[in-house]
Amino acid sequence: MTTGPANSAQEARRALGNRLRDIRKAAGITIRQLGAETGQHFTRVSKIENGVQFPTDRDIRAWCRVCAAVDQELDLVATLRAVDSAYLEFRRQSRAGMKRVLGAHTPERYQATKVFRIYEHNVIPGLFQTAEYTAAMLAFWIRFLDTPNDLDEAVAVRMERQRVLHRGGKRFVAVLEEQALRTWFGTAEVQAGQLGRLLELISMPNISLGIIPLMTEREAVASTGFWIFDDAMVALETPTAGIQVTQPAECAMYARMFEVLKGAAVYGRDARGLILQVLSELDS
């Protein structure tokens, strides 16, 4: 099974075509009938359904109108717009340095978002990182992706984004796996500083920080970390690509998963106790 951004984008095109085919068949309409009703040759309808040709917004709306599926129009249009823009290749962005690798984490997106929901399984979220932790992590990616070494500038960009934590009218709801507390970037001193930073943040009134303990009973395990920006976008990152999900139905599924994960987390005194326990182990 291939999971690269290009292959994933092609799979997404085929998935959109399959959905349109299902809508047509559910309406009892043939390819030729749909072509005639929407003013296009039936072969183009076939190409769209097979992911060979990409539909337009107008195609989607006409398709839903003819097939009496107007209730699916908004979700399909959102899917259409996301397919080609969802996979932002890090290597292409990083040719100008890691400070350019932002993905969904742009100043505009941060300014517009009122509620950030963040789940991370093996790393501290960027908004909560110390400069030293960020530098240790980015140093690896600069080597791994063979990008220009703009480490200081890249760290500065990410520290500047943290100003959003102190802006009024914004909430940050984060759920971390305990493993994220135990994954080192840099030295023990860097890790200790990062854990201390979490202890500071956990007391901020606009931040809810939950931690899922190791070896605890739980309903589900997420396959990767993800960020939900209000209900408008979900952002995920792989070693080679940033993935942005904007389809309302898919965003809702991530929101549901986030609620399930929250249910396994501990908060307040118990979360602080976990952080202090890991800190004590660093000194032993």
Side-chain angles (χ1 to χ4, degrees):
M1 181 176 181
T2 55
T3 57
N7 289 316
S8 297
Q10 181 57 42
E11 290 170 8
R13 292 188 188 97
R14 285 196 291 265
L16 176 58
N18 288 337
R19 286 186 63 186
L20 292 171
R21 179 188 294 112
D22 291 343
I23 289 172
R24 175 183 60 76
K25 288 185 174 181
I29 297 174
T30 68
I31 288 178
R32 289 181 179 273
Q33 288 173 330
L34 183 63
E37 290 287 339
T38 57
Q40 58 188 322
H41 199 274
F42 72 89
T43 57
R44 184 169 185 274
V45 174
S46 178
K47 288 178 180 178
I48 289 173
E49 290 188 350
N50 286 286
V52 175
Q53 190 164 344
F54 217 43
T56 64
D57 285 15
R58 181 178 296 180
D59 291 329
I60 295 288
R61 293 188 175 95
W63 201 297
C64 290
R65 173 180 52 80
V66 172
C67 297
V70 177
D71 59 320
Q72 299 188 53
E73 180 182 312
L74 289 179
D75 190 59
L76 287 165
V77 169
T79 300
L80 169 67
R81 292 175 179 173
V83 166
D84 274 347
S85 63
Y87 298 89
L88 306 175
E89 294 185 49
F90 279 11
R91 295 208 58 149
R92 174 174 55 79
Q93 293 182 3
S94 63
R95 286 171 189 158
M98 288 302 293
K99 66 182 179 182
R100 302 286 187 185
V101 179
L102 300 177
H105 302 270
T106 64
E108 296 77 15
R109 174 63 59 185
Y110 277 36
Q111 182 176 356
T113 302
K114 293 183 178 180
V115 180
F116 296 72
R117 282 170 286 180
I118 304 165
Y119 168 75
E120 292 289 0
H121 60 311
N122 59 12
V123 67
I124 304 301
L127 282 178
F128 300 165
Q129 292 175 6
T130 65
E132 294 78 13
Y133 184 97
T134 298
M137 184 176 64
L138 290 181
F140 165 76
W141 287 111
I142 287 172
R143 295 191 304 271
F144 183 79
L145 297 173
D146 193 24
T147 71
N149 190 345
D150 64 342
L151 181 60
D152 291 342
E153 295 91 337
V155 171
V157 166
R158 285 156 177 78
M159 294 301 103
E160 177 66 23
R161 286 199 303 235
Q162 294 186 7
R163 290 179 179 270
V164 73
L165 294 173
H166 304 285
R167 291 179 188 161
K170 296 185 183 295
R171 290 181 55 240
F172 304 85
V173 184
V175 175
L176 309 182
E177 300 285 348
E178 183 181 339
Q179 183 60 46
L181 308 181
R182 298 178 176 278
T183 302
W184 283 27
F185 288 97
T187 64
E189 183 179 3
V190 169
Q191 193 71 7
Q194 179 59 70
L195 294 175
R197 171 66 170 158
L198 288 182
L199 290 173
E200 295 172 1
L201 293 172
I202 205 169
S203 63
M204 290 180 61
N206 63 331
I207 295 177
S208 169
L209 177 58
I211 301 173
I212 302 176
L214 293 170
M215 304 295 290
T216 190
E217 185 175 347
R218 57 196 296 171
E219 289 186 68
V221 177
S223 58
T224 187
F226 58 89
W227 292 48
I228 306 175
F229 298 89
D230 290 328
D231 292 314
M233 175 188 289
V234 179
L236 309 88
E237 293 183 357
T238 75
T240 59
I243 302 172
Q244 298 173 20
V245 178
T246 57
Q247 301 94 316
E250 288 198 42
C251 289
M253 290 184 67
Y254 279 98
R256 286 172 53 202
M257 174 59 78
F258 189 78
E259 291 302 313
V260 172
L261 294 167
K262 277 178 61 180
V266 297
Y267 296 85
R269 180 181 298 177
D270 290 336
R272 184 181 291 273
L274 275 176
I275 297 171
L276 290 171
Q277 174 62 34
V278 178
L279 260 174
S280 70
E281 294 175 17
L282 290 175
D283 296 330
S284 60

